[in-house]
Amino acid sequence: MSAYVVAEVEVTEPAVYEQYRKLVPATIAKYGGKYLVRGGAVETKEGTWQPKRLVVLEFASMDQARKWYHSPEYAPALALRAKAARSKVLLVEGAA
């Protein structure tokens, strides 16, 4: 069953975040993931949630998503993101 990584990101250090953006795609691909959403326009229809930047990744399974997130390949990029942005990230299983 597919799984998704959903991240709300508010970039606070654009130059550092740009370094992060360059490192991440190869790590996602290595674990079989792909971008579904990568910072496009957001339009709120209900509630007050107004994310600055939204990212959605798809992986083949929750296990693959976890392996990517905790991988040694992603760790340096994750450290950069922690310096460059405030983020909320969750992993969610897709519908069967």
Side-chain angles (χ1 to χ4, degrees), residues 43-59:
E43 184 176 324
T44 301
K45 292 297 186 188
E46 295 184 26
T48 59
W49 186 30
Q50 296 198 11
K52 305 274 189 218
R53 179 177 181 80
L54 195 63
V55 177
V56 179
L57 307 174
E58 180 180 41
F59 289 88

Side-chain angles (χ1 to χ4, degrees), residues 27-90:
T27 70
I28 293 167
K30 180 173 182 173
Y31 287 84
K34 66 179 180 180
Y35 284 99
L36 297 180
V37 175
R38 190 177 186 190
V42 175
E43 184 176 324
T44 301
K45 292 297 186 188
E46 295 184 26
T48 59
W49 186 30
Q50 296 198 11
K52 305 274 189 218
R53 179 177 181 80
L54 195 63
V55 177
V56 179
L57 307 174
E58 180 180 41
F59 289 88
S61 67
M62 186 68 93
D63 188 53
Q64 277 304 104
R66 284 188 196 108
K67 284 179 182 177
W68 166 74
Y69 187 83
H70 296 291
S71 71
E73 295 85 3
Y74 182 56
L78 180 56
L80 283 174
R81 183 170 53 78
K83 292 178 187 177
R86 286 187 286 276
S87 304
K88 296 176 184 172
V89 179
L90 57 89

